[in-house]
Amino acid sequence: MQKDQLLERLDRLERQLYAYRYAMGLMEYDSETAAPLLSAAGRGEALALLSEVEYRLTAGPETAELLAALEQIAPALTVQQAAQLRELQKAYDRNSKVPQEEYTAYSRLLTLAQPAWRQAKQNDDFDAFAPYLRQIVETNIRFAGYYAPGRDPYDTWLDQYEPGMTRAQLDEFFEALRREIVPLVQRITAEGASIDDRWAVQGDWPLEGQKQLARRVMDRMGIDPARCALGETEHPFTTNFSRDDVRITTHYYPENLLSSLYSVIHEGGHALYELNTAPRLAGTCLATGASMGMHESQSRLYENLIGRSRAFADVLWQDITACFPAQTAGRTAEDFWKAANKAQPSLIRTEADELTYCLHIMVRYELEKQLFDRTLTVEELPAAWNARMEEYLGVKVPNNAQGVLQDVHWAGGSFGYFPSYALGSAYGAQILDAMRRQLDVDALTARGELAPITAWLTDRIYQYGAERTPAWLLENACGAPFDPTFYTRYLKEKFTALYGLG
Ligand SMILES: [Zn+2]
């Protein structure tokens, strides 16, 4: 077949996938935000049918033949076409290498595991969930063997979320955290250093004011309301259907000023990435972020590195006092900055502060590796969890509901996913360091001028979408490969100053 014809077929396949994914994504978003309770069954039926078609489009014989033919003319493809081929091939491999009946059995297992996990967490009954978890781990190890025979199964799963990342690199990264951050947390705890944040998290912050604040902050970030809408869900998230249709969500708590504010900034960072992929990528599988870690680097860069900086606290404080004149009387931007940065070891990952968060991820990373190496059994998991929480964070875990059962990820079959959260923070610190060499970031953020920051990120990262690998993007933005010391140095400098540890 001629090159032109192949490229036409590639284009047609991409446009079909785009349409199906748009429809399914919108239905899922609607189910989280607006759909009435009894709509679930009918929607489930429609989604099953649509995903069947999507499955055929990614893993059917016609696609196999097209991908093989494109591979034959690979040297003649542009960078973008080659990246499209790479991503489609990855989706094909994911869907076609596992025998159909095993794939179906695994889907069924996950469908049962989710409510079993929820119930087990509610009843603090790990034993009730253990049989599901055992099967999920075994299946993940077996599937990794189908994807990449002979390769370390945990590396294979890491690669699914963070292409190119290996446990050798992560071991080095987490080793740096263990060496530098665990003692810092111990020092803060031992000094009894404390910040009063009760006024901010246990106050009276009417939702109308919080909604107004969210809109102001999105404006500050340069998020175009004509292309990005804000919704409300139990857990905040970002989803995108096209570069002109991005949805972010938040959760307003009437007593807590900080929770929704920083959710909006975090999800806003994800949104800026999606909103600024190059128009040429529109409608292809490349019109999205490069990886979980790279995406998380952008949300955390805005949420923590900029959003929780001293310079930006003054700007946010102007917006907060405008929305809540009565509640903020007698308080200062300095009070707000301290409250927003309070660090305190705690049990729950999703409620952890910027400093201790990465240690929660370290606990999960080490246990996942051991489960995959079979040096730890599922039965031994709760005790191993509790021991590490005490060692790294100095907290005693009172029950499994607040311990090993707290996250949904393992029940959903996601192993190798957690590290991307911590990697994102570390990428973010390295990227910010590179940005500082070219922009006066503090002066810009102190004036509330974020546009040059977003433009810098668009130029070096956003525009490429998923066309380039995370390693390529880091190199492009920073002129150097991944180096975790930027992150540990950033945390040490920030929190020793904040707590006056000298
Ligand atoms: Zn995120």
Side-chain angles (χ1 to χ4, degrees):
M1 202 180 300
Q2 296 299 307
K3 182 184 167 198
D4 286 351
Q5 277 174 297
L6 288 174
L7 291 178
E8 219 169 277
R9 280 180 61 191
L10 172 66
D11 185 52
R12 166 118 186 105
L13 173 64
E14 287 272 37
R15 278 183 294 134
Q16 282 177 300
L17 282 170
Y18 166 73
Y20 279 98
R21 286 170 182 168
Y22 201 128
M24 289 192 290
L26 203 49
M27 285 163 74
E28 271 151 20
Y29 179 78
D30 178 71
S31 79
E32 302 261 359
T33 49
L37 189 65
L38 294 182
S39 66
R43 182 176 49 257
E45 221 167 283
L47 275 171
L49 212 80
L50 290 172
S51 66
E52 218 178 279
V53 181
E54 192 217 4
Y55 178 84
R56 271 206 302 278
L57 285 171
T58 51
E62 262 181 58
T63 299
E65 179 214 332
L66 172 63
L67 296 178
L70 284 167
E71 192 57 50
Q72 292 293 316
I73 58 157
L77 298 178
T78 64
V79 171
Q80 178 177 330
Q81 289 158 353
Q84 286 174 261
L85 173 59
R86 180 195 69 213
E87 292 303 309
L88 290 167
Q89 186 70 50
K90 239 198 279 184
Y92 175 82
D93 289 347
R94 223 178 3 244
N95 283 330
S96 65
K97 288 194 172 172
V98 175
Q100 181 67 50
E101 60 282 3
E102 287 191 45
Y103 189 84
T104 311
Y106 184 54
S107 302
R108 205 173 308 128
L109 172 65
L110 292 184
T111 309
L112 296 172
Q114 307 252 2
W117 163 75
R118 208 160 285 125
Q119 193 81 44
K121 181 177 171 180
Q122 207 166 30
N123 301 339
D124 183 27
D125 182 3
F126 180 77
D127 291 345
F129 178 58
Y132 295 96
L133 188 56
R134 207 176 303 123
Q135 281 190 62
I136 291 172
V137 171
E138 285 309 316
T139 309
N140 270 271
I141 293 173
R142 202 171 63 247
F143 282 12
Y146 292 136
Y147 296 146
R151 193 179 179 197
D152 177 292
Y154 193 66
D155 271 347
T156 298
W157 281 111
L158 284 176
D159 195 55
Q160 295 286 320
Y161 303 111
E162 197 59 21
M165 187 52 62
T166 63
R167 58 198 277 171
Q169 276 176 288
L170 283 177
D171 281 343
E172 203 180 304
F173 169 49
F174 285 108
E175 175 52 36
L177 294 182
R178 200 176 303 113
R179 196 175 54 236
E180 307 283 345
I181 306 307
V182 171
L184 176 61
V185 170
Q186 280 166 353
R187 235 180 117 196
I188 290 175
T189 316
E191 304 244 339
S194 184
I195 284 172
D196 176 23
D197 67 344
R198 279 168 306 176
W199 65 277
V201 300
Q202 293 171 33
D204 175 24
W205 306 96
L207 298 195
E208 218 18 75
Q210 291 204 42
K211 288 179 185 175
Q212 207 187 323
L213 180 60
R215 280 191 296 273
R216 275 176 183 255
V217 168
M218 286 172 72
D219 267 358
R220 288 233 181 252
M221 294 178 75
I223 296 169
D224 182 356
R227 298 169 61 210
C228 177
L230 173 66
E232 286 180 55
T233 50
E234 180 60 29
H235 301 289
F237 64 85
T238 300
T239 186
N240 69 300
F241 312 122
S242 77
R243 70 187 297 281
D244 291 322
D245 190 354
V246 179
R247 313 294 176 99
I248 66 174
T249 72
T250 189
H251 187 146
Y252 301 107
Y253 296 91
E255 75 288 356
N256 191 329
L257 168 71
L258 302 178
S259 179
S260 166
L261 172 61
Y262 281 100
S263 288
V264 170
I265 301 177
H266 179 100
E267 303 308 332
H270 283 304
L272 285 173
Y273 197 166
E274 297 292 346
L275 291 165
N276 289 298
T277 57
R280 67 185 166 82
L281 304 179
T284 75
C285 57
L286 304 178
T288 188
S291 68
M292 293 306 308
M294 199 45 77
H295 233 303
E296 211 55 33
S297 77
Q298 298 314 305
S299 55
R300 281 159 201 267
L301 192 145
Y302 276 101
E303 179 195 350
N304 293 330
L305 302 170
I306 292 170
R308 286 189 163 89
S309 68
R310 185 62 191 86
F312 200 57
D314 286 327
V315 175
L316 284 176
W317 189 244
Q318 288 171 25
D319 292 333
I320 295 166
T321 50
C323 295
F324 297 105
Q327 287 87 342
T328 51
R331 297 282 174 188
T332 63
E334 179 83 5
D335 295 336
F336 163 68
W337 173 65
K338 287 193 165 169
N341 283 291
K342 180 175 177 161
Q344 192 170 42
S346 62
L347 293 167
I348 308 296
R349 174 185 64 85
T350 55
E351 294 164 11
D353 54 79
E354 184 185 7
L355 176 65
T356 59
Y357 187 88
C358 54
L359 303 182
H360 289 263
I361 299 303
M362 188 158 82
V363 170
R364 288 154 178 78
Y365 169 67
E366 292 182 354
L367 297 176
E368 286 189 348
K369 262 194 333 180
Q370 279 200 279
L371 285 172
F372 273 63
D373 285 350
R374 298 202 169 92
T375 54
L376 182 78
T377 66
V378 166
E379 288 66 37
E380 294 164 338
L381 191 56
W385 176 287
N386 298 352
R388 278 182 174 72
M389 287 298 286
E390 184 150 13
E391 185 186 348
Y392 300 149
L393 286 144
V395 296
K396 283 201 191 307
V397 180
N399 54 54
N400 289 327
Q402 290 172 285
V404 69
L405 286 173
Q406 66 181 268
D407 295 309
V408 65
H409 299 60
W410 291 343
S414 300
F415 284 87
Y417 184 102
F418 279 121
S420 56
Y421 292 129
L423 268 178
S425 300
Y427 289 169
Q430 187 171 356
I431 291 166
L432 185 70
D433 186 88
M435 192 193 298
R436 278 188 196 287
R437 278 178 259 136
Q438 286 158 12
L439 293 181
D440 190 343
V441 175
D442 286 335
L444 289 169
T445 46
R447 291 198 299 270
E449 285 174 31
L450 301 186
I453 293 174
T454 301
W456 191 95
L457 291 166
T458 299
D459 192 38
R460 287 154 184 82
I461 297 174
Y462 299 166
Q463 62 158 320
Y464 296 103
E467 185 180 69
R468 305 288 186 160
T469 63
W472 188 94
L473 291 168
L474 258 191
E475 200 65 69
N476 191 49
C478 308
F482 175 50
D483 177 354
T485 56
F486 289 97
Y487 179 48
T488 51
R489 196 182 317 138
Y490 157 78
L491 286 177
K492 276 168 77 175
E493 283 176 6
K494 175 171 178 175
F495 286 91
T496 46
L498 181 76
Y499 280 95
L501 298 177

